[in-house]
């Protein structure tokens, strides 16, 4: 079998917590893990240029198969030379399978063994997405890491429903593997489902591992369940997964969940959180979040975070950012987005450094204390 | 008298057309003329960063006194250390006086000798702007070049009305000069008015020249009059102005008007045109304008303009830009804005080079032919 395009290099485990330090090698460069992946839904990380993402050391970004399928369409991206060329990004790209959007965006859907019938959320057209179609689209996009087409049930979900869904997702995973026709250029990850049920998670993991994917995602989390449920599921799921393959927790991006996920053996994370809240003026700081629209910043000429060395904090004040956001000036969104992405990417570098020093547990305590997570009814980002 | 903060250095005249090549020296650097000034209404050139403006060699930008007076307010900008610091731009800044916005934005206004009573276009509050207030605000902003507070009558305007307006604007100009209290740091330009009436233009110029401003703007053009009226007014107005002072034609930015203005002795131009049309997907090319939303670009993998070496044209295709604009992705607006500003700034460099080579007339013909200006009912940009 040709050499796998995606390879995980395990470096070390944090003696204090068991968190993993590693590296993922892809046809478009390598990146250290645990890693946070900025989301570029429509072949652009909203408001950011590729150069800005590189300046903050983003080694991999995520793009959405469902959205790119609808606009501009995978054949146009393929004709352009693939997603990397189309969007002028020469580092790694992960594409999801579209499964999550089918279940989260579309009001009318009908799940069959063959695939899912549903409505285009933009114009109501009838659409059909299947394992084969999801592979065809992602093979056309040319991402480095592809995701298997799965069902992502809501939380909570009845046990019996979840059981049938896991079984179907495992069958779909096999069909994905068979339909994936660029196996030497693109690595396909399986997605472990099973909700909060340990036996179903175990079954799902077992099915997928038997298909020997180059990496495994943990799906069906961060869909509304409490933090302790997510942590518990991670605690009995990641140990099931091979040590020599990357583990990717989908849709998680709050600072606490990133640290707690890493502690529970997760290597890769993605989320729209930093970019989405930035567009509302909300920013991360070492001492918790702030909303730049707040009147108290009107004459605050300090940077967002005095310890941050990102472009935004080195050059602009809270007063100026507040002015731009209140006037709906695009540059304001660029500044808050830049800062938030840099904050999470830098947080992951601190996590990796703490793993190197076998002290991720201590780092967690320091970070949680300062960020305000230990305060009563602290919010999760 | 302290050395003037704004100084014009005449370099040469184009033997073919009489257009002027020069340099303007300011406390925040020098720039060659004829020059185009990107507009940064609310202390930001929409979607652009200061670094991007510098990368395309913008030596001076314009910001709006009226808008900054309302948001965030000149005292906040002053407290921030002035407009340059507030917006992280260390090259030259010109601020207008707010006069144009009073007459173009506000529905209810009452012009008196003292100043103008009108309504805040955002919340309807009653406001009053006078020569003294316009100086106070611009002195607080700390721009390099300030504009006198004037009345900008609409086009067309009755002769008698225009005559009274010119006389009042001249009286206001004197009051501006007296109220300007940072004369060694900021240069104040007078604004020649008088509509299409040669004698009134002559009177206005004479009044202002007697006050010995460091530069003169030609106002009351590009307010809806036909191109030939603008050209005719320039032809009898610029010769009235001192050769050793810069001449600034306000609110002009279409390629033809820039070239024709330079040929008629204008040194400085500003306009929202390139940034405004960019946000609608319209872009300049050497062969006329294109709208990136057009379906014919769906699979067009060429740059906007194959001869353009801007960031956008070196890295992105029409198909990708169309995709971004159709999906309302901010990065698409950044790319079209970057290209349009670079196009006009580069056009002015070509104009300056043609003046150096005494062939601006030939350049005009070549440019107009290729751009499509010679076609029947060609549009003006």
């Amino acid at each position: 079998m040709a050499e796998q395009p995606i390879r995980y290099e395990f470096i070390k485990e944090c003696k204090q917590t068991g968190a993993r330090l590693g590296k993922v090698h892809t046809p478009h460069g390598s990146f250290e893990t645990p890693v946070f992946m900025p989301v570029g839904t429509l072949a652009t990380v909203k408001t950011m240029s590729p150069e800005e993402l590189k300046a903050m050391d983003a080694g991999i970004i995520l793009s959405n198969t469902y959205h790119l399928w609808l606009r501009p369409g995978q054949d146009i991206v393929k004709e352009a030379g693939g997603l990397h060329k189309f969007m002028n990004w020469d580092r790694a790209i992960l594409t999801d399978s579209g499964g999550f959007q089918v279940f989260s965006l579309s009001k009318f859907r009908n799940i069959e063994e063959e695939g899912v019938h549903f409505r285009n959320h933009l114009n109501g057209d009838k659409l059909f997405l299947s394992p084969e179609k999801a592979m065809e689209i992602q093979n056309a996009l040319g991402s480095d890491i592809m995701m298997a087409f799965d069902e992502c049930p809501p939380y909570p979900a009845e046990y019996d429903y979840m059981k049938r869904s896991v079984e179907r997702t495992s069958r779909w995973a096999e069909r994905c593997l068979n339909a994936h026709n660029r196996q030497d250029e693109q690595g396909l990850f399986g997605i472990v489902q099973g909700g909060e049920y340990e036996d179903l998670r175990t079954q799902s993991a077992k099915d997928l591992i038997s298909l020997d994917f180059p990496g495994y995602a943990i799906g069906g989390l961060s869909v509304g369940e409490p933090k302790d449920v997510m942590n518990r599921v991670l605690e009995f799921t990641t140990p099931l997964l091979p040590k020599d393959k990357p583990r990717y927790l989908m849709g998680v991006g709050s600072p606490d969940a990133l640290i707690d996920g890493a502690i529970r053996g997760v290597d890769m994370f993605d989320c729209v959180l930093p970019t989405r809240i930035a567009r509302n003026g909300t920013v991360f700081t070492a001492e918790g979040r702030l909303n730049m629209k707040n009147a108290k910043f009107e004459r605050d000429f300090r940077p967002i975070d005095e310890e941050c060395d990102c472009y935004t904090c080195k050059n602009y004040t809270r007063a100026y950012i507040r002015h731009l956001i209140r006037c709906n000036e695009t540059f304001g969104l660029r500044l808050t987005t830049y800062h938030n992405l840099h904050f999470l990417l830098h947080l992951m570098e601190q996590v990796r450094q703490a793993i190197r020093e076998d002290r991720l547990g201590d780092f967690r305590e320091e970070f949680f204390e300062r960020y305000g997570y230990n305060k009563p009814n602290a919010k999760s980002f």
Side-chain angles (χ1 to χ4, degrees), chain A:
Chain A
M1 212 181 85
E3 209 216 320
Q4 263 289 359
I6 301 301
R7 195 169 49 79
Y8 176 70
E9 176 194 342
F10 172 78
I11 297 174
K12 83 179 284 289
E13 209 174 76
C14 168
K15 292 197 182 72
Q16 200 177 53
T17 63
R20 297 153 34 109
L21 181 71
K23 211 172 203 180
V24 174
H25 301 278
T26 84
H28 286 87
S30 305
F31 51 86
E32 289 192 329
T33 59
V35 72
F36 175 77
M37 302 183 278
V39 174
T41 305
L42 280 154
T44 168
V45 176
K46 289 195 189 309
T47 80
M48 291 286 102
S49 73
E51 290 75 16
E52 285 151 355
L53 293 169
K54 286 185 183 175
M56 55 177 98
D57 280 341
I60 178 168
I61 60 173
L62 183 138
S63 211
N64 290 106
T65 292
Y66 169 82
H67 289 292
L68 292 172
W69 175 34
L70 302 189
R71 298 180 299 180
Q74 71 276 15
D75 16 350
I76 286 177
V77 175
K78 187 172 182 183
E79 247 177 86
L83 192 49
H84 291 87
K85 185 115 186 292
F86 187 59
M87 65 183 291
N88 185 37
W89 171 257
D90 57 11
R91 293 185 182 179
I93 297 176
L94 181 148
T95 47
D96 63 3
S97 67
F100 182 76
Q101 281 74 21
V102 163
F103 297 101
S104 61
L105 283 181
S106 181
K107 289 192 192 60
F108 317 97
R109 61 177 174 270
N110 171 16
I111 307 175
E112 296 170 350
E113 184 62 30
E114 188 45 24
V116 188
H117 296 273
F118 63 103
R119 296 268 180 182
N120 177 334
H121 75 293
L122 295 171
N123 59 17
D125 284 356
K126 281 190 180 166
L127 292 173
F128 176 69
L129 195 52
S130 65
E132 290 72 21
K133 187 67 181 175
M135 293 304 105
E136 179 213 308
I137 299 168
Q138 292 180 80
N139 280 158
L141 297 177
S143 47
D144 300 286
I145 300 175
M146 297 162 48
M147 301 311 294
F149 183 61
D150 66 333
E151 182 193 351
C152 178
Y155 175 85
E158 293 290 329
Y159 180 86
D160 293 342
Y161 181 87
M162 188 62 85
K163 189 168 189 309
R164 285 195 309 280
S165 169
V166 162
E167 286 156 3
R168 184 170 49 219
T169 283
S170 293
R171 291 193 297 273
W172 281 358
E174 190 162 8
R175 281 170 51 192
C176 283
L177 215 52
N178 299 333
H180 174 20
N181 59 28
R182 293 179 64 183
Q183 307 226 5
D184 49 1
E185 298 163 280
Q186 300 173 271
L188 175 64
F189 283 18
I191 304 179
V192 177
Q193 291 286 355
E196 56 192 305
Y197 308 108
E198 184 164 359
D199 65 326
L200 296 183
R201 286 281 173 182
T202 305
Q203 182 60 49
S204 178
K206 228 173 103 228
D207 295 346
L208 299 179
I209 291 167
S210 70
L211 296 168
D212 191 24
F213 288 96
Y216 298 90
I218 304 149
L221 288 176
S222 188
V223 287
E225 78 284 358
K227 226 192 290 187
D228 60 319
V229 170
M230 176 194 285
N231 286 340
R232 189 166 50 76
V233 171
L234 290 177
E235 275 149 26
F236 61 63
T237 302
T238 50
L240 304 167
L241 301 174
K243 280 199 180 302
D244 61 347
K245 301 279 179 73
R247 297 93 169 261
Y248 160 34
L249 176 55
M250 304 176 87
V252 165
S254 60
D256 57 334
L258 291 173
I259 297 171
D260 283 340
I263 285 175
R264 288 162 179 82
V266 174
D267 308 306
M268 297 166 66
F269 303 84
D270 86 279
C271 193
V272 293
L273 181 72
T275 40
R276 184 169 290 172
I277 64 173
R279 294 198 300 280
N280 185 38
T282 300
V283 289
F284 298 120
T285 77
E287 272 133 34
R289 61 189 197 158
L290 302 172
N291 190 310
M292 286 294 105
K293 288 192 261 191
N294 196 309
K296 67 183 177 186
F297 300 126
E298 189 182 37
R299 288 181 143 82
D300 187 335
F301 300 111
R302 293 173 297 171
I304 290 174
D305 187 333
E306 297 190 281
E307 289 170 23
C308 177
D309 65 354
C310 80
Y311 167 73
T312 300
C313 292
K314 279 193 292 190
N315 295 292
Y316 301 97
T317 65
R318 294 172 179 188
Y320 180 61
I321 293 166
R322 176 175 185 270
H323 162 66
L324 294 180
I325 302 246
R326 286 185 67 233
C327 296
N328 291 319
E329 283 290 350
T330 305
F331 191 53
L333 308 187
R334 282 181 59 180
L335 293 178
T336 51
T337 300
Y338 194 108
H339 171 78
N340 277 357
L341 286 175
H342 178 276
F343 185 90
L344 290 191
L345 290 164
H346 178 63
L347 172 62
M348 297 315 279
E349 177 41 43
Q350 291 174 297
V351 164
R352 292 193 295 266
Q353 187 55 29
I355 296 172
R356 287 188 194 97
E357 295 166 2
D358 294 310
R359 52 178 297 279
L360 184 55
D362 299 341
F363 174 78
R364 178 188 191 278
E365 290 326 313
E366 292 150 19
F367 185 91
F368 274 49
E369 181 54 30
R370 242 190 120 196
Y371 193 87
Y373 280 126
N374 297 337
K375 289 181 191 150
N377 55 48
K379 291 187 186 158
S380 83
F381 66 84

